[in-house]
Amino acid sequence: MSQFKSGFISIIGRPNVGKSTFLNRVIGQKIAIMSDKPQTTRNKVQGVLTMDDSQMIFIDTPGIHKPKHKLGEFMSKVSKNALREVDAIMFMVNAQQKLGAGDEYVIEMLKGSKTPVFLIINKIDTIHPEEILKIVDQYKEKYDFAEIVPISALQGNNVDNLLNTLKKYLPEGPQYYPADQVTDHPERFIISELIREKALHLTRDEVPHSIAVEIEKIRRDEETDKVRVMASIIVERDSQKGIVIGKRGAMLKEIGTRARKDIENLLGSKVYLELWVKVQKDWRDRSSQLRDYGYRDDEY
Ligand SMILES: Nc1nc2c(ncn2[C@@H]2O[C@H](COP(=O)(O)OP(=O)(O)OP(=O)(O)O)[C@@H](O)[C@H]2O)c(=O)[nH]1
Ligand SMILES: [Mg+2]
């Protein structure tokens, strides 16, 4: 029998290319939040895929962009750090987007790395198959990729093939995590992210980027088996607070209803969710508040 294989695989690329969508698809569970807004992912999120003959640990990272504040700098560090000490790197691009300065920047980061880099052309469901070859040619000129794999993370096209190819690049190794563990993050983190996701989906412009979520309390009521979650949505200005609360609280109620459904799915029990909105002026540029909201420099 062949030996068990295991290893770490980083997923990097510009914002919005579908990194978290891919992670959730292969893990078969929502552990990383997704949205059509750029810069959705802010922390490193590890997803563990255990099979009979292998264990792949995927590392989802924040989309690489030019930081405009301390939060952006933190995100950028997280992404860069994820390139170290992994067995393979998936550089994901969006088939709909032209190879631009953002991709060139990522390619520069990859130069000098000894780790095999896969070019993943995602969202192929949105283009004509003939276009794929053109994209492949453009990227081939820029870097010597170990493999080039077109996929649709949303629809699942070619994802199994990608997993089989990745497996070939993994060394023989131990099973790092128990087979039933899908992520390294505690439930508390995922719950706060699910709330942030709903707030992201329902707001626009600068508001989604200005939101953080802080869990105040999670308590299971032994008698009813209901879980009570108390959380605050943090924004940067009073005007944003007004938007997140909405007319007669309608927006906050909608965020709560949507988040509660996802949290119930995650926990497998009924949830009672209480949300507040707080203003912390310019929190994205304040080190101590970044730490409070889970963007800690020592945790990437
Ligand atoms: N049509 C199509 N849309 C996709 C595909 N993969 C992801 N998307 C969409 O692209 C958007 C961004 O997806 P995410 O998974 O949040 O992207 P990301 O790369 O993690 O983004 P950041 O966390 O901001 O860096 C969402 O609206 C997804 O539904 C795909 O294969 N096809
Ligand atoms: Mg993401």
Side-chain angles (χ1 to χ4, degrees), residues 187-189 191 215-220 227-230 267:
E187 272 171 358
R188 191 183 189 88
F189 171 82
I191 291 171
I215 303 288
E216 317 276 354
K217 205 181 259 178
I218 303 178
R219 208 176 49 211
R220 190 180 288 272
V227 179
R228 189 185 176 96
V229 178
M230 293 195 234
L267 303 179

Side-chain angles (χ1 to χ4, degrees), residues 12 64 79-80 83 104-111 113:
I12 64 153
I64 294 167
S79 302
K80 284 186 183 154
L83 297 175
E104 302 260 12
Y105 179 72
V106 182
I107 291 170
E108 280 308 311
M109 275 169 56
L110 296 172
K111 287 187 179 158
S113 153

Side-chain angles (χ1 to χ4, degrees), residues 153-209:
L154 194 67
Q155 300 188 346
N157 316 12
N158 214 26
V159 169
D160 284 342
N161 178 33
L162 168 59
L163 294 178
N164 286 329
T165 312
L166 275 169
K167 207 186 280 177
K168 292 186 195 146
Y169 284 78
L170 297 185
E172 282 175 12
Q175 185 179 315
Y176 292 99
Y177 295 94
D180 60 353
Q181 184 172 345
V182 294
T183 182
D184 59 335
H185 279 296
E187 272 171 358
R188 191 183 189 88
F189 171 82
I190 303 177
I191 291 171
S192 73
E193 286 286 272
L194 291 172
I195 297 168
R196 190 166 66 85
E197 183 185 65
K198 304 313 170 197
L200 283 189
H201 288 175
L202 290 163
T203 57
R204 55 202 163 91
D205 303 324
E206 201 52 20
V207 183
H209 300 291

Side-chain angles (χ1 to χ4, degrees), residues 14-21 33-41 60-63 122-126 151-155:
R14 289 162 67 181
N16 230 6
V17 295
K19 299 178 293 297
S20 302
T21 305
I33 63 168
M34 303 167 280
S35 89
D36 60 357
K37 317 269 191 314
Q39 298 163 37
T40 298
T41 304
D60 183 18
T61 63
N122 188 32
K123 309 199 189 185
I124 54 164
D125 55 289
T126 62
I151 65 164
S152 166
L154 194 67
Q155 300 188 346

